[in-house]
Amino acid sequence: MKYISTRGQAPALSFEEVLLTGLAADGGLYVPETLPTFSAQEIRDMAALDYPALAQRIIAPFVADSIPEDDLKAIIVDTYAAFRHDAVAPLVQLGANQWVLELFHGPTLAFKDFALQLLGRLLDYVLERRHQKVVIMGATSGDTGSAAIEGCKRCNNIDIFILHPHQRVSEVQRRQMTTVVGDNIHNLAVQGNFDDCQAMVKASFGDRGFLPADRSLVAVNSINWARIMAQIVYYFYAGVALGAPDRRVAFSVPTGNFGDIFAGYLARNMGLPVERLIIATNTNDVLHRVMTTHTYGRQPLEHTLSPSMDITVSSNFERLLFDLYDRDGAAIAGLMRDFDAGDVHFSEAAMARASALFSSHRVSDEETCAQIAATWERCEYLLDPHSAIGVNAAQSAGLDPAVPVVTLATAHPAKFPEAVAKAGVGDTPGLPLHLRDLFERPERCEVLPNDLAAVQAFMADNLGA
Ligand SMILES: Cc1ncc(COP(=O)(O)O)c(C=O)c1O
Ligand SMILES: N[C@@H](CCOP(=O)(O)O)C(=O)O
């Protein structure tokens, strides 16, 4: 399997090479040249597989040129053994044909663990084999950071630098990052917002000169293809559990960087009968605006009760655009140049294709709290604010009631006590046992100005031997 850049000017790479990078040299994102597909019978047969076996089935074709099957199996089994629920991704029914897929049973209580527990192990495997050391740089609005640190902390061959917006992540999220000790783990609180952090990561891929020549820069954000690949699995897992391929299923996905929902789009292209993908946003609604006005533009970032989705430059949307524009790299490079300069208006043909599968819904903080309260009152089920946005969007989508709709529950409510308190549903649930002493653990974090040179200088000065 080869991976190609959405901007058409970078060399095609193998899985191993794509794992060890972030943005392509031309500024694009890597996608598979062709997608593996599964027949209806192959999908039916997936119902007999547990989560790790299904993950092996879905992931193997993407990595076949780089990782032997037995090694992949061992890595995957070990990855999902770290989850605290035997089903790994349990489905919970909230109402007639309304479901949530709980993706928060990993070590850091968010869906990011699905990919980052795997990514950490894949990096460890590949770097040991190559006797290579790398530098990881990631931007987080709260969840990617801790999941990346947790996923990579055992790996001897990395230095990891995670940038989060200073004072803009929840206290639980911050402590989950800053209390993990290790000389190779660095938390940088940047005096800016998530978009600033993400822009610094992308700029660093464009100019890697601040690092020694023998250290590659590797991404842990969803610009890294391996992140998306791992997230495809749970769409199949939920779909098959609800009757696919003999029944169509819809998904509502709380969305920021468009990585998670893009994985759902790929699952559909690989054969899963997906009725609809609902883009659920908070008031940072750049994607909702794209769907309703066909215009992609910058807007000021708002701080909401769902901070992990406080994102206004949605990285993975470029991967979808690449398909919407018939995989024309030059056209995507042009659109992205226009986006850097101002608003971009997409063609009616491209947007008609998008609308055939995607719809969108924007949810305010008030609606988020009301949804948490309503779901609690009706089902005694406590949603975190991001998942509440997904459920609200699912209920507003006007879907055929015969079609099951699955909301991806992307985080555990204990990570967001402020939103739960504002919803007025009583005490926030306690943290799981392994995090019970989180508030007593010492923290380590560097506050830095919103300045790329300062961040890169800090990184260069703090690299391990
Ligand atoms: C809890 C939570 N929900 C939803 C999202 C949105 O996911 P994506 O960025 O893949 O769209 C994120 C992070 O971005 C998140 O941390
Ligand atoms: N919501 C994320 C933001 C980064 O998104 P990613 O999926 O590209 O890593 C976070 O919580 O950090």
Side-chain angles (χ1 to χ4, degrees), residues 80-413:
Y80 295 107
F83 281 57
R84 291 166 296 107
H85 196 295
D86 286 346
V88 182
L91 263 176
V92 175
Q93 187 160 17
L94 289 188
N97 268 338
Q98 292 278 336
W99 304 78
V100 293
L101 182 66
E102 293 186 341
L103 299 176
F104 50 72
H105 295 288
T108 70
L109 318 184
F111 78 100
K112 311 281 179 175
D113 288 322
F114 278 81
L116 284 160
Q117 283 291 312
L118 179 64
L119 186 92
R121 285 166 174 81
L122 290 172
L123 284 176
D124 204 15
Y125 173 87
V126 165
L127 294 174
E128 281 293 323
R129 210 168 57 175
R130 294 164 69 115
H131 306 293
Q132 188 183 344
K133 282 188 187 285
V134 297
V135 177
I136 288 177
M137 187 177 186
T140 186
S141 51
D143 291 326
T144 294
S146 57
I149 291 171
E150 214 35 67
C152 297
K153 70 182 182 189
R154 291 168 223 83
C155 186
N156 293 323
N157 297 312
I158 59 150
D159 287 291
I160 180 164
F161 296 85
I162 297 294
L163 283 56
H164 72 263
H166 186 42
Q167 296 177 334
R168 292 298 179 192
V169 299
S170 82
E171 187 171 359
V172 175
Q173 287 178 312
R174 190 193 72 238
R175 287 177 174 276
Q176 282 182 298
M177 295 187 274
T178 57
T179 58
V180 183
V181 278
D183 288 342
N184 61 340
I185 298 169
H186 303 278
N187 280 289
L188 314 186
V190 174
Q191 290 166 318
N193 61 34
F194 171 77
D195 287 340
D196 299 322
C197 297
Q198 177 157 260
M200 288 192 204
V201 171
K202 289 183 176 172
S204 300
F205 277 97
D207 177 5
R208 303 171 203 200
F210 66 104
L211 294 176
D214 64 340
R215 297 286 173 98
S216 307
L217 189 63
V218 174
V220 281
N221 284 106
S222 52
I223 54 175
N224 188 318
W225 160 256
R227 285 275 313 274
I228 306 292
M229 173 186 80
Q231 293 171 201
I232 298 170
V233 178
Y234 46 70
Y235 286 91
F236 276 95
Y237 191 64
V240 166
L242 293 173
D246 303 305
R247 196 178 187 203
R248 300 181 72 75
V249 180
F251 292 90
S252 177
V253 188
T255 304
N257 246 348
F258 206 75
D260 209 7
I261 197 162
F262 185 72
Y265 164 78
L266 295 180
R268 199 283 304 246
N269 291 354
M270 291 166 69
L272 188 71
V274 174
E275 173 76 13
R276 189 140 283 274
L277 290 169
I278 303 162
I279 300 167
T281 77
N282 64 22
T283 44
N284 293 296
D285 60 351
V286 59
L287 293 168
H288 177 58
R289 288 185 197 206
V290 169
M291 295 306 295
T292 48
T293 66
H294 304 180
T295 302
Y296 191 35
R298 293 185 190 269
Q299 63 186 77
L301 187 143
E302 281 185 31
H303 299 292
T304 71
L305 290 174
S306 44
S308 303
M309 286 161 35
D310 289 347
I311 299 176
T312 73
V313 179
S314 191
S315 296
N316 289 284
F317 193 63
E318 177 169 342
R319 285 184 160 126
L320 177 68
L321 282 177
F322 186 52
D323 280 1
L324 297 179
Y325 280 82
D326 295 318
R327 302 202 133 202
D328 178 348
I332 300 306
L335 288 171
M336 289 302 134
R337 262 195 312 275
D338 293 349
F339 178 61
D340 286 339
D343 286 1
V344 187
H345 193 75
F346 297 128
S347 74
E348 291 312 308
M351 290 314 300
R353 277 188 189 180
S355 304
L357 179 63
F358 292 93
S359 47
S360 67
H361 191 70
R362 165 198 201 268
V363 182
S364 68
D365 273 354
E366 293 68 34
E367 290 164 324
T368 303
C369 290
Q371 186 64 58
I372 294 173
T375 305
W376 177 253
E377 273 156 33
R378 188 161 168 75
C379 317
E380 289 192 30
Y381 187 88
L382 189 56
L383 293 163
D384 100 286
H386 307 80
S387 312
I389 287 172
V391 169
N392 188 279
Q395 292 178 356
S396 313
L399 292 174
D400 176 350
V403 175
V405 56
V406 178
T407 296
L408 304 197
T410 48
H412 192 291

Side-chain angles (χ1 to χ4, degrees), residues 1-3 13-16 32-38 42 46 52-69 72-73 76 225 229 232-233 236 270:
M1 165 98 51
K2 281 286 175 200
Y3 293 87
L13 299 183
S14 67
F15 175 75
E16 184 167 325
E33 193 166 33
T34 54
L35 271 183
T37 54
F38 297 104
E42 285 171 327
M46 290 176 185
L54 179 65
Q56 165 94 9
R57 185 92 183 79
I58 307 281
I59 292 171
F62 290 110
V63 306
D65 62 357
S66 303
I67 305 180
E69 282 239 0
L72 178 68
K73 182 174 179 189
I76 287 179
W225 160 256
M229 173 186 80
I232 298 170
V233 178
F236 276 95
M270 291 166 69

